[in-house]
Amino acid sequence: MTETTETSDATETTQLDIAEVSHRAGVPASTLRYYEEKGLISSMGWRGLRRQYDPGVLERLALIALGRTAGFSLDEIADMFAPDGRPRIDRGMLAAKADELDHRIRELGVLRDSLRHAAACPAPSHLECPTFRRLLDAAASGGVAAPGRRIPGR
C-alpha cells in the first residue's frame, strides 16, 4: 500500500509507507531507516510491517539531500533542525561551506586544466611533462585532495 488515509477522532491524516517515501525521495528504504536511527527523520508508526511517514518527510529528505550535496555531514545536517523538526540553519555555517566549495572549485579547475594538458602534451612520456610533474608533486605533498578528503593544513 503506497498511501493511506486514516480517520481518527474526525481528524484525517495522510501517511506514506516506507516504500512510497523511498520511491518519491529516490533513496533506498535502508537509507530511510538509517536516517531514522540517526534522528534525521521519524516515522509516525507502523501499518502492518511497514513504517508510515507524514508527507512532510519528503521536504525534510530534500533538505538532507541538499545538505549532503553541499558537503555537510549527517551530524551537521542534524544540527540544522530544531527539536520540533523545523529547519534551523546557521547562515554563518552556510557561508563557510560556500567558501570551502569556492576553494574546492579552484582546486578542481587546476586539476582539470592539468589533466587536459597532460592528455594533449607532446612530451614522449607524461613523466617527462613539466606540467604533469607539478601535478604529481602537488598530489604527493597533499596539495591535490580526493573529493571529500580534507587537505592537511587547510
Side-chain angles (χ1 to χ4, degrees):
M1 173 154 251
T2 59
E3 195 167 328
T4 61
T5 303
E6 299 177 3
T7 304
S8 168
D9 297 326
T11 303
E12 196 173 287
T13 306
T14 301
Q15 296 180 353
L16 305 174
D17 75 19
I18 193 168
E20 182 68 15
V21 173
S22 173
H23 174 73
R24 289 190 187 184
V27 297
S30 59
T31 299
L32 297 174
R33 290 188 293 271
Y34 181 69
Y35 286 175
E36 193 166 347
E37 182 182 306
K38 296 277 291 174
L40 291 164
I41 62 172
S42 60
S43 61
M44 298 177 67
W46 296 77
R47 182 177 179 103
L49 297 176
R50 292 181 176 232
R51 295 173 193 208
Q52 301 292 303
Y53 295 91
D54 179 274
V57 75
L58 296 172
E59 184 174 87
R60 190 172 179 113
L61 288 167
L63 287 168
I64 293 167
L66 183 61
R68 296 293 291 156
T69 300
F72 289 104
S73 70
L74 289 179
D75 290 335
E76 289 171 323
I77 293 169
D79 289 341
M80 293 182 188
F81 292 103
D84 66 1
R86 293 184 185 185
R88 171 186 66 188
I89 303 170
D90 179 326
R91 292 173 191 271
M93 188 169 61
L94 294 179
K97 183 57 74 175
D99 291 343
E100 284 180 34
L101 289 172
D102 281 340
H103 179 75
R104 185 67 182 143
I105 289 166
R106 283 190 300 277
E107 285 182 333
L108 288 171
V110 169
L111 180 59
R112 178 203 57 222
D113 294 345
S114 297
L115 291 174
R116 284 203 174 126
H117 172 81
C121 182
S125 160
H126 288 103
L127 296 179
E128 295 176 50
C129 171
T131 301
F132 191 75
R133 293 297 309 182
R134 280 193 300 275
L135 181 62
L136 283 179
D137 291 344
S141 67
V144 177
R149 189 181 126 225
R150 297 229 181 243
I151 298 171
R154 290 190 187 173

